[in-house]
Amino acid sequence: EVQLVESGGGLIQPGGSLRLSCAASEFNVSDDYMSWVRQAPGKGLEWVSVIHRFGNTYYADSVKGRFTISRDTSKNTLYLQMNSLRAQDTAVYFCAREGNGFDLWGRGTLVIVSS
Amino acid sequence: DIQMTQSPSTLSASVGDRVTISCRASQSISSWLAWYQQRPGKAPKLLIYRASSLESGVPLRFSGSGSGTEFTLTISSVQPDDFATYYCQQYNSYPFTFGPGTKVDIK
């Protein structure tokens, strides 16, 4: 089954770091454009970052310089390294495959930034 | 950045009603617009891409229209499964942006 499964979320103190993972099945993350999208509790969707097929990366201004997107083709996994976390980063983080729109989503992993 | 707005923010409907949700972009995005449905606690689901193309497996009662800056999602006859929040999203340029959402609830 074609799917994405996120992991790595949890409770982290402000200023801390966390790495999210997104494992893909039945397709190669390196063949597609892959994004992270987040949703704060009770709020709307916010695009965070993308990595293109050839490795180009783009970020939302709200995370630029703090978050890094990457992938490991041997593990067929997408990552989001999050540093200098803030309370405003509290959200469910989804990974998603970008085709015409985001046609495949994971279930999400919850990140809570709080002391 | 391209700003996306949606109206209304909330919509009350009865089963069988025709429902229309509007989405506006702050600048032209051609037809690079997608619509998603999200139920509570679930990931968004792609309904429409390129403004008017129906994603595989999505019921025919969903349709999209528009281009440039004005777009519409229509549900021709709302079913119980359709009570959810709907988001538009532009993918004309980074940063991709979503509308604030329209919640469709039961009248």
Side-chain angles (χ1 to χ4, degrees), chain B residues 45-67:
Chain B
K45 173 187 174 184
L46 179 64
L47 300 174
I48 302 286
Y49 62 93
R50 216 172 290 173
S52 60
S53 296
L54 193 68
E55 175 71 349
S56 176
V58 174
L60 293 175
R61 62 182 180 272
F62 290 94
S63 64
S65 64
S67 66

Side-chain angles (χ1 to χ4, degrees), chain B residues 34-105:
Chain B
W35 287 97
Y36 301 88
Q37 176 193 68
Q38 187 179 33
R39 298 190 179 97
K42 301 294 187 181
K45 173 187 174 184
L46 179 64
L47 300 174
I48 302 286
Y49 62 93
R50 216 172 290 173
S52 60
S53 296
L54 193 68
E55 175 71 349
S56 176
V58 174
L60 293 175
R61 62 182 180 272
F62 290 94
S63 64
S65 64
S67 66
T69 62
E70 303 282 343
F71 302 89
T72 300
L73 174 71
T74 300
I75 310 173
S76 60
S77 176
V78 170
Q79 299 303 301
D81 266 356
D82 302 340
F83 293 102
T85 299
Y86 294 84
Y87 295 94
C88 61
Q89 177 235 337
Q90 67 82 16
Y91 55 105
N92 178 77
S93 61
Y94 294 115
F96 290 170
T97 43
F98 292 85
T102 295
K103 184 178 181 180
V104 178
D105 61 21

